[in-house]
Amino acid sequence: MTAWETVLCDIKGVALSHLTSVAADRECSVRHNKPMSLSFVVPSGDENVATTHTDGYPLLTTLRRTVRAYRHETDSTGAEVKTLRFNGYVWSLGDDGGGNVARTRVVCYDPLQRMRWRFCRNADETLDSVAFSGDAAQTVKTLVDRTNAISQSGLATSGGTFDVLAAQAGVWQRKMIGDAMIELSGAKGGPDYGLTYLEATDGWLARLSVIAKRGAVRPNAVFGWGTGPANVSSISRLDDPREVANWLYGLGSVAAGGDELTSTKTDAASITAVGRYEALSSFADVTSQAYLDNLAEEEVARRSDTPVRELIGIAPASG
């Protein structure tokens, strides 16, 4: 039995065809606080993707279709279970033909992707001077609830977990929700985002949770390549200091008096250890000094750590 099952659905989540037997080269990309993606390749002319649906469009088409991906796993009791690991919109299609073979690469994103095309709004639906203050989790929930009240986004908040988080305050001008979420997560005490994928046929693809920053030391975790437990097919590592900064000058918006908000943050221990590295960061729409200070402090803490950017790629063994 294959480890993955892939189901093509309409925009509401109603199953149209099963792609498990034809989908190949599956790849999931999980990015911190950003939309998860799923990609795979199918034969372009296969009846499971090329047939015309009752809406007049091919079974496989962008934006009007969604994809659910299940993984066969073993639970704590040793029993096999089928777990929904992805639910998202068909976002792009790329056809590649040669000889007698034509293949289509399908790229899908979960509903968090749609927040890049939804504006932050006031309660009266206006886009200018969207003020926020208080708990960051409730700020995000309010933004998503307001956009859902106008038009369903596929990202639900009902039933989600919203931790009590540090207060953040400021004003946004015509800002997209996705950008606002990334900005909030980058502030000191900012949140992390988690999605629970839903098996529904009413247009809700995932449930949003806004939680305290995650992260834990797992000293007993073992990744084996070329030796036991043989759970990795390849591994790579890159130590990249290009983003290093232990003295940061942050620029905010122009204040009411005409002066630009500024915030200088440093990491003295890092400067002593590796020398001084200076950088300028712009937060052009931040109008609150306290919020600018939080953003600058979090950024210098991230960029002054050593190694500044360590990229470790681990490809799991098949299955």
Side-chain angles (χ1 to χ4, degrees):
M1 177 182 292
T2 182
W4 287 88
E5 290 186 25
T6 309
V7 183
L8 180 65
C9 307
D10 68 10
I11 198 168
K12 292 293 187 180
V14 178
L16 302 179
S17 65
H18 288 261
L19 305 181
T20 305
S21 62
V22 296
D25 299 337
R26 296 178 187 85
E27 182 176 330
C28 287
S29 177
V30 182
R31 300 178 297 168
H32 187 229
N33 288 338
K34 294 182 180 180
M36 178 178 176
S37 67
L38 171 73
S39 64
F40 54 89
V41 174
V42 293
S44 303
D46 190 272
E47 62 180 2
N48 289 291
V49 298
T51 306
T52 301
H53 185 46
T54 55
D55 62 3
Y57 290 88
L59 282 176
L60 185 60
T61 190
T62 57
L63 303 184
R64 290 177 168 82
R65 304 290 184 254
T66 62
V67 168
R68 291 201 296 262
Y70 301 86
R71 192 174 192 275
H72 290 272
E73 303 172 354
T74 302
D75 65 15
S76 58
T77 68
E80 184 179 283
V81 294
K82 186 172 75 171
T83 305
L84 181 60
R85 289 299 185 187
F86 178 85
N87 197 0
Y89 300 96
V90 176
W91 204 259
S92 68
L93 301 173
D95 295 327
D96 184 13
N100 296 322
V101 179
R103 289 158 42 106
T104 299
R105 174 158 290 279
V106 184
V107 179
C108 311
Y109 286 97
D110 69 26
L112 203 58
Q113 176 82 342
R114 275 189 164 186
M115 294 301 105
R116 297 176 57 195
W117 280 267
R118 295 294 185 97
F119 279 107
C120 298
R121 282 179 163 82
N122 291 301
D124 62 0
E125 299 186 9
T126 56
L127 310 181
D128 295 327
S129 300
V130 179
F132 62 98
S133 61
D135 189 328
Q138 292 303 314
T139 294
V140 172
K141 183 178 185 299
T142 297
L143 293 174
V144 176
D145 286 342
R146 285 176 180 172
T147 197
N148 280 333
I150 296 172
S151 178
Q152 185 182 36
S153 70
L155 185 62
T157 62
S158 178
T161 298
F162 295 88
D163 288 347
V164 177
L165 302 175
Q168 308 288 354
V171 178
W172 287 313
Q173 301 286 351
R174 297 175 293 278
K175 197 178 190 72
M176 294 298 179
I177 296 175
D179 294 333
M181 292 174 68
I182 292 173
E183 183 179 280
L184 284 171
S185 70
K188 182 182 179 181
D192 274 350
Y193 307 112
L195 267 60
T196 301
Y197 297 114
L198 305 174
E199 191 174 18
T201 56
D202 56 2
W204 297 112
L205 274 61
R207 178 187 300 117
L208 174 68
S209 290
V210 184
I211 56 181
K213 284 193 180 295
R214 292 177 289 187
V217 177
R218 304 273 182 166
N220 297 321
V222 177
F223 295 100
W225 174 67
T227 183
N231 55 359
V232 174
S233 62
S234 65
I235 188 168
S236 63
R237 177 181 176 274
L238 174 64
D239 187 346
D240 184 0
R242 283 178 294 178
E243 294 185 5
V244 64
N246 48 30
W247 189 98
L248 185 78
Y249 190 66
L251 293 178
S253 179
V254 176
D259 295 326
E260 197 169 31
L261 292 178
T262 64
S263 180
T264 303
K265 297 295 180 180
T266 64
D267 186 330
S270 174
I271 293 173
T272 299
V274 300
R276 181 162 164 149
Y277 291 86
E278 301 177 344
L280 172 70
S281 283
S282 176
F283 307 94
D285 59 351
V286 174
T287 58
S288 163
Q289 183 65 55
Y291 188 40
L292 178 62
D293 289 340
N294 283 341
L295 290 167
E297 185 172 347
E298 183 70 11
E299 179 157 343
V300 79
R302 175 181 63 82
R303 295 176 63 178
S304 65
D305 196 15
T306 305
V308 177
R309 189 179 186 210
E310 184 178 27
L311 300 178
I312 299 177
I314 297 176
S318 297

